[in-house]
Amino acid sequence: MNNSDYENYIKLKDQLNIYRRQYYTEDAPTVQDFEYDRLYQELLKVESAHPEWVTNDSPSQNVGGAINSAFPKFRHEIPMLSMDDVFSLEESQASAERIKKFVNQTDVEFNLELKIDGLALSLIYENGRLVKGSTRGDGFVGEDITPNIFQIDDVPKTIPLKERIEVRGECYLGKDSFAELNNKRLEDGKSTFANPRNAAAGSLRQLDSSITKSRHLQTFIYFVIEPENYGLKTQSEALKQLQEWGFATNNQNRVVNDFKEVQNYIDEYQEKRLDLPYNIDGIVFKVNDFKLQSLLGNTVKVPRWEFAYKFPPIEAHTHLRTIEWTV
Ligand SMILES: CC(C)(C)c1nc(N2CCN(c3ncccn3)CC2)c2cc(C(N)=O)c(N)nc2n1
């Protein structure tokens, strides 16, 4: 091993840790997701070649960033795991094939979902009443932001279910609300948010919940903890049930059996992406059947039964298109 490889690895690791602190703790990332993803994938590649170099301060060793926030901490009973990202259709096909092989079944149904570019949150209801709202944090400990969750219009304050239930989803700021917010901030001589995800994170983490209320945050709920307890058998069924309970859900999901349908869905939303009223940064693949999901289980950080296909970044495209146009 020549010294510079190791030095480069340390530099890469330190740079990624700076980016994470900006993203998770300061809500002010200075790099776009695709740049962070690219560097993170590079780190994973180096670490798989040199596992002896990996120390526990490596971004690969802790899910999400450290929390230093004014809100009370909240330990998730069941960790909010992460998602493996794939960046090409071929990779997503390989991941799907690996899953099929793992369960030794050729016809595994996947539920495809738009990957909303927001921030993950957890909602807990007891006796049909909303009692707790928290951010994902590092996946194990998040922030208790219950007062702010009550300010989000599309989060039901009561649901027609007496049992205790936890649901999870994405909190996001619609494109129009984001533009309005940034215009208002410009008028008031304030700094603007770089993207709707940062704006949503900043709005959820306001100590004054009336500011949260003024930001018109929205949610898409996509997960029920222990769905079998409610007689749910598949992810697509769970989405329907969540809607019936009164949650905001994204109905653009699609159950697919073969790769052609996957390709169609990805092509369709690669196009539609710019016209959607909210930002998406990919497609989430989930094994639809919950029995198969539990057969696949979870690794320490990521369920084996889901992964995310990431679209190439819009910024790069838009920029390229502009150049083509001017040429
Ligand atoms: C419940 C599972 C784990 C299957 C799951 N996890 C998700 N995420 C995990 C990683 N998350 C995360 N966030 C920050 C840092 C690391 N991972 C952010 C949410 C999902 C995100 C979306 C979405 N964005 O639209 C979605 N339709 N389904 C999801 N499903």
Side-chain angles (χ1 to χ4, degrees):
M1 157 200 94
N2 53 358
N3 218 359
S4 69
D5 278 355
Y6 182 66
E7 278 162 11
N8 291 340
Y9 164 70
I10 294 298
K11 272 212 282 288
L12 175 60
K13 182 185 74 170
D14 293 346
Q15 183 58 62
L16 278 166
N17 277 329
I18 291 169
Y19 289 154
R20 295 170 78 79
R21 199 189 60 247
Q22 293 167 349
Y23 177 93
Y24 284 106
T25 310
E26 296 157 14
D27 268 346
T30 56
V31 282
Q32 298 290 343
D33 276 15
F34 72 93
E35 175 60 9
Y36 178 86
D37 286 338
R38 185 181 65 76
L39 293 171
Y40 186 70
Q41 299 300 325
E42 198 180 316
L43 180 100
L44 293 182
K45 212 159 70 228
V46 173
E47 290 189 346
S48 62
H50 297 282
E52 72 284 4
W53 289 354
V54 179
T55 49
N56 63 12
D57 72 330
S58 164
S60 64
Q61 303 305 301
N62 47 46
V63 188
I67 306 272
N68 73 348
S69 121
F71 291 98
K73 293 187 189 325
F74 179 73
R75 178 169 290 282
H76 300 296
E77 282 159 45
I78 296 179
M80 292 181 75
L81 295 173
S82 186
M83 280 201 280
D84 269 344
D85 290 339
V86 297
F87 295 88
S88 73
L89 212 53
E90 296 68 28
E91 265 189 280
S92 53
Q93 188 154 12
S95 292
E97 290 311 316
R98 225 185 349 270
I99 285 172
K100 291 181 180 178
K101 226 168 96 232
F102 195 98
V103 294
N104 194 15
Q105 266 183 245
T106 49
D107 56 341
V108 173
E109 235 179 36
F110 282 88
N111 185 60
L112 304 184
E113 299 174 9
L114 298 183
K115 188 170 181 301
I116 311 302
D117 191 9
L119 70 154
L121 56 79
S122 151
L123 306 174
I124 297 177
Y125 290 76
E126 286 172 358
N127 300 317
R129 312 192 66 73
L130 175 62
V131 293
K132 183 70 73 181
S134 62
T135 61
R136 181 180 179 284
D138 63 4
F140 300 95
V141 176
E143 298 140 298
D144 179 339
I145 48 163
T146 306
N148 292 349
I149 295 287
F150 273 89
Q151 310 308 322
I152 304 177
D153 295 343
D154 69 12
V155 168
K157 310 319 171 230
T158 60
I159 57 172
L161 200 76
K162 286 303 154 226
E163 301 112 289
R164 186 177 190 282
I165 183 169
E166 177 179 348
V167 298
R168 293 172 175 178
E170 205 79 3
C171 176
Y172 68 94
L173 194 59
K175 290 175 182 172
D176 292 349
S177 303
F178 172 66
E180 251 169 68
L181 171 61
N182 266 353
N183 290 339
K184 178 89 179 56
R185 288 177 69 91
L186 273 175
E187 279 161 26
D188 301 350
K190 290 181 185 160
S191 66
T192 54
F193 287 102
N195 58 53
R197 205 248 341 271
N198 287 9
S203 304
L204 258 191
R205 291 203 179 104
Q206 286 295 325
L207 286 173
D208 172 356
S209 54
S210 65
I211 297 178
T212 307
K213 182 158 192 63
S214 71
R215 298 284 176 85
H216 308 302
L217 290 170
Q218 292 175 271
T219 61
F220 283 127
I221 305 301
Y222 49 63
F223 185 63
V224 184
I225 300 271
E226 284 147 6
E228 301 83 2
N229 293 358
Y230 312 94
L232 297 166
K233 292 187 177 45
T234 64
Q235 172 63 7
S236 46
E237 218 181 279
L239 288 175
K240 280 193 209 101
Q241 179 61 74
L242 282 164
Q243 188 169 26
E244 276 163 34
W245 282 332
F247 292 103
T249 57
N250 188 293
N251 58 13
Q252 314 281 331
N253 68 302
R254 188 172 299 172
V255 176
V256 299
N257 288 293
D258 69 42
F259 216 76
K260 191 76 204 91
E261 295 170 279
V262 170
Q263 185 132 30
N264 296 343
Y265 188 82
I266 288 184
D267 294 344
E268 181 180 337
Y269 282 97
Q270 181 82 55
E271 283 317 305
K272 279 186 182 172
R273 183 180 182 191
L274 292 171
D275 309 320
L276 289 171
Y278 43 82
N279 276 356
I280 62 172
D281 60 349
I283 304 292
V284 184
F285 287 63
K286 296 177 185 177
V287 168
N288 199 30
D289 181 283
F290 288 137
K291 282 205 174 19
L292 280 186
Q293 285 188 9
S294 37
L295 199 66
L296 285 150
N298 301 334
T299 64
V300 166
K301 285 171 39 189
V302 176
R304 280 196 199 89
W305 43 269
E306 50 91 19
F307 60 91
Y309 163 78
K310 298 288 282 274
F311 288 135
I314 283 184
E315 294 79 355
H317 274 296
T318 323
H319 183 63
L320 280 179
R321 192 172 294 133
T322 319
I323 291 174
E324 280 148 22
W325 189 71
T326 41
V327 165

Coordinates of all heavy atoms in Angstrom, one line a residue, residues 225-259:
I225 N -45.3 0.5 11.0 CA -44.5 -0.4 11.8 C -45.3 -1.7 12.0 O -46.5 -1.6 12.3 CB -44.1 0.2 13.1 CG1 -43.3 1.5 12.9 CG2 -43.4 -0.8 14.0 CD1 -41.8 1.3 12.8
E226 N -44.7 -2.9 11.9 CA -45.4 -4.1 12.1 C -46.8 -4.2 11.4 O -47.8 -4.3 12.1 CB -45.6 -4.4 13.6 CG -44.3 -4.9 14.2 CD -44.0 -4.4 15.7 OE1 -45.0 -3.8 16.3 OE2 -43.0 -4.7 16.1
P227 N -46.8 -4.1 10.1 CA -48.1 -4.0 9.4 C -49.0 -5.2 9.6 O -50.2 -5.1 9.5 CB -47.6 -3.8 7.9 CG -46.2 -4.3 7.9 CD -45.6 -4.0 9.2
E228 N -48.3 -6.4 9.8 CA -49.1 -7.6 10.0 C -50.1 -7.5 11.2 O -51.1 -8.1 11.2 CB -48.2 -8.8 10.3 CG -47.2 -9.1 9.2 CD -45.9 -8.2 9.3 OE1 -45.8 -7.4 10.3 OE2 -45.0 -8.4 8.4
N229 N -49.7 -6.6 12.1 CA -50.6 -6.4 13.3 C -52.0 -5.8 12.8 O -53.0 -5.9 13.6 CB -50.0 -5.4 14.3 CG -48.8 -6.0 15.0 OD1 -48.4 -7.2 14.7 ND2 -48.2 -5.3 15.9
Y230 N -52.0 -5.2 11.6 CA -53.3 -4.6 11.2 C -53.8 -5.4 10.0 O -54.6 -4.9 9.2 CB -53.0 -3.1 10.8 CG -52.2 -2.4 11.9 CD1 -50.8 -2.4 11.8 CD2 -52.8 -2.0 13.1 CE1 -50.1 -1.8 12.8 CE2 -52.1 -1.4 14.1 CZ -50.7 -1.3 14.0 OH -50.0 -0.8 15.0
G231 N -53.4 -6.7 9.9 CA -53.9 -7.5 8.8 C -53.4 -7.1 7.4 O -54.0 -7.5 6.4
L232 N -52.3 -6.3 7.4 CA -51.8 -5.9 6.1 C -50.8 -6.9 5.5 O -49.9 -7.4 6.3 CB -51.2 -4.5 6.2 CG -52.1 -3.4 6.6 CD1 -51.4 -2.2 7.1 CD2 -53.1 -3.1 5.5
K233 N -50.9 -7.3 4.2 CA -50.1 -8.3 3.7 C -49.0 -7.8 2.7 O -48.0 -8.4 2.5 CB -50.9 -9.4 2.9 CG -51.8 -10.2 3.9 CD -52.5 -11.3 3.2 CE -53.4 -12.1 4.2 NZ -54.1 -11.2 5.1
T234 N -49.3 -6.6 2.1 CA -48.3 -6.1 1.1 C -48.2 -4.6 1.4 O -49.0 -3.9 2.0 CB -48.8 -6.3 -0.3 OG1 -50.0 -5.5 -0.5 CG2 -49.1 -7.7 -0.6
Q235 N -47.1 -4.1 0.8 CA -46.8 -2.6 0.9 C -47.9 -1.8 0.2 O -48.3 -0.8 0.6 CB -45.4 -2.3 0.3 CG -45.1 -0.9 0.1 CD -45.0 -0.1 1.4 OE1 -45.0 -0.7 2.5 NE2 -44.8 1.2 1.3
S236 N -48.3 -2.3 -1.0 CA -49.3 -1.5 -1.8 C -50.6 -1.5 -1.0 O -51.3 -0.4 -0.9 CB -49.6 -2.2 -3.1 OG -49.7 -3.6 -3.0
E237 N -51.0 -2.6 -0.3 CA -52.2 -2.6 0.6 C -52.0 -1.6 1.8 O -52.9 -0.9 2.1 CB -52.3 -4.0 1.2 CG -53.7 -4.6 1.3 CD -53.6 -6.0 1.9 OE1 -53.3 -6.9 1.2 OE2 -53.7 -6.1 3.2
A238 N -50.8 -1.6 2.3 CA -50.5 -0.7 3.4 C -50.7 0.8 3.0 O -51.3 1.6 3.8 CB -49.1 -0.9 4.0
L239 N -50.3 1.1 1.8 CA -50.4 2.5 1.4 C -51.9 2.9 1.3 O -52.3 4.0 1.7 CB -49.8 2.7 0.0 CG -48.2 2.7 0.0 CD1 -47.7 2.8 -1.5 CD2 -47.7 3.9 0.8
K240 N -52.7 1.9 0.8 CA -54.2 2.2 0.7 C -54.8 2.3 2.1 O -55.5 3.3 2.4 CB -54.9 1.0 0.0 CG -54.8 1.0 -1.5 CD -55.7 0.1 -2.2 CE -55.2 -0.4 -3.5 NZ -54.6 -1.8 -3.4
Q241 N -54.4 1.5 3.0 CA -54.9 1.5 4.4 C -54.5 2.8 5.0 O -55.3 3.5 5.7 CB -54.4 0.3 5.2 CG -54.9 0.3 6.6 CD -56.4 0.2 6.7 OE1 -57.0 -0.8 6.4 NE2 -57.0 1.3 7.0
L242 N -53.3 3.3 4.8 CA -52.8 4.5 5.4 C -53.7 5.7 4.9 O -54.1 6.6 5.7 CB -51.4 4.8 5.0 CG -50.3 4.0 5.8 CD1 -49.0 4.1 5.1 CD2 -50.2 4.6 7.2
Q243 N -54.1 5.6 3.6 CA -54.9 6.7 3.1 C -56.3 6.7 3.8 O -56.9 7.7 4.1 CB -55.1 6.5 1.6 CG -55.8 7.7 0.9 CD -55.6 7.6 -0.6 OE1 -55.5 6.6 -1.2 NE2 -55.7 8.8 -1.2
E244 N -56.8 5.4 3.9 CA -58.1 5.3 4.6 C -58.1 5.8 6.0 O -59.1 6.4 6.5 CB -58.6 3.8 4.5 CG -59.3 3.4 3.2 CD -59.3 1.9 3.1 OE1 -59.5 1.2 4.1 OE2 -59.1 1.4 1.9
W245 N -57.0 5.6 6.7 CA -56.9 6.1 8.1 C -56.8 7.6 8.1 O -56.9 8.2 9.2 CB -55.7 5.5 8.8 CG -55.9 4.1 9.2 CD1 -57.1 3.5 9.6 CD2 -54.9 3.1 9.4 NE1 -56.9 2.2 10.0 CE2 -55.5 1.9 9.8 CE3 -53.5 3.0 9.2 CZ2 -54.9 0.7 10.1 CZ3 -52.8 1.9 9.4 CH2 -53.5 0.7 9.9
G246 N -56.6 8.2 7.0 CA -56.5 9.7 6.9 C -55.2 10.3 6.7 O -55.0 11.5 6.7
F247 N -54.2 9.5 6.4 CA -52.8 10.0 6.1 C -52.7 10.4 4.6 O -53.4 9.9 3.8 CB -51.8 8.9 6.4 CG -51.6 8.6 7.9 CD1 -52.2 7.4 8.4 CD2 -51.0 9.5 8.7 CE1 -52.1 7.1 9.7 CE2 -50.9 9.2 10.1 CZ -51.5 8.0 10.6
A248 N -51.8 11.4 4.4 CA -51.5 11.8 3.0 C -50.5 10.7 2.5 O -49.5 10.5 3.1 CB -50.8 13.2 3.0
T249 N -50.9 10.1 1.4 CA -50.0 9.1 0.8 C -49.8 9.5 -0.7 O -50.7 10.2 -1.3 CB -50.7 7.7 0.9 OG1 -51.9 7.8 0.2 CG2 -50.8 7.2 2.3
N250 N -48.8 9.0 -1.3 CA -48.5 9.3 -2.7 C -49.0 8.1 -3.5 O -48.6 7.0 -3.4 CB -47.0 9.4 -2.9 CG -46.7 9.9 -4.2 OD1 -46.9 9.2 -5.2 ND2 -46.2 11.2 -4.3
N251 N -50.0 8.4 -4.3 CA -50.7 7.3 -5.0 C -50.0 7.0 -6.4 O -50.6 6.3 -7.2 CB -52.2 7.6 -5.2 CG -52.4 8.9 -6.0 OD1 -51.4 9.4 -6.5 ND2 -53.6 9.4 -6.0
Q252 N -48.8 7.5 -6.6 CA -48.2 7.2 -7.9 C -47.4 5.9 -7.8 O -46.6 5.6 -8.7 CB -47.2 8.3 -8.2 CG -47.7 9.7 -8.0 CD -48.6 10.2 -9.2 OE1 -48.4 9.7 -10.3 NE2 -49.5 11.0 -8.9
N253 N -47.6 5.1 -6.7 CA -46.8 3.9 -6.6 C -47.4 2.9 -7.6 O -48.5 3.0 -8.2 CB -47.0 3.3 -5.2 CG -48.4 2.8 -4.9 OD1 -49.3 3.6 -5.0 ND2 -48.5 1.5 -4.6
R254 N -46.5 1.9 -7.9 CA -47.0 0.9 -9.0 C -46.4 -0.5 -8.6 O -45.2 -0.6 -8.3 CB -46.5 1.3 -10.3 CG -47.0 0.5 -11.5 CD -46.6 1.1 -12.8 NE -47.2 2.5 -13.0 CZ -46.8 3.2 -14.0 NH1 -46.0 2.8 -14.9 NH2 -47.4 4.5 -14.1
V255 N -47.3 -1.5 -8.6 CA -46.8 -2.8 -8.3 C -46.4 -3.4 -9.7 O -47.1 -3.4 -10.6 CB -48.0 -3.7 -7.7 CG1 -47.5 -5.1 -7.5 CG2 -48.4 -3.1 -6.4
V256 N -45.1 -3.9 -9.7 CA -44.6 -4.5 -11.0 C -44.1 -5.9 -10.7 O -43.7 -6.2 -9.6 CB -43.4 -3.6 -11.5 CG1 -43.9 -2.2 -11.8 CG2 -42.3 -3.6 -10.5
N257 N -44.1 -6.7 -11.8 CA -43.6 -8.1 -11.7 C -42.4 -8.3 -12.6 O -41.6 -9.1 -12.2 CB -44.7 -9.0 -12.3 CG -45.8 -9.1 -11.3 OD1 -45.7 -9.6 -10.2 ND2 -47.0 -8.6 -11.6
D258 N -42.3 -7.5 -13.7 CA -41.1 -7.8 -14.5 C -40.4 -6.5 -14.8 O -40.8 -5.4 -14.5 CB -41.5 -8.5 -15.8 CG -42.3 -7.5 -16.7 OD1 -41.9 -6.4 -16.8 OD2 -43.3 -8.0 -17.3
F259 N -39.2 -6.7 -15.3 CA -38.3 -5.5 -15.4 C -38.7 -4.5 -16.5 O -38.4 -3.3 -16.4 CB -36.8 -5.9 -15.7 CG -35.9 -5.0 -14.9 CD1 -35.8 -5.1 -13.6 CD2 -35.3 -3.9 -15.6 CE1 -35.1 -4.2 -12.8 CE2 -34.6 -3.0 -14.9 CZ -34.5 -3.1 -13.5

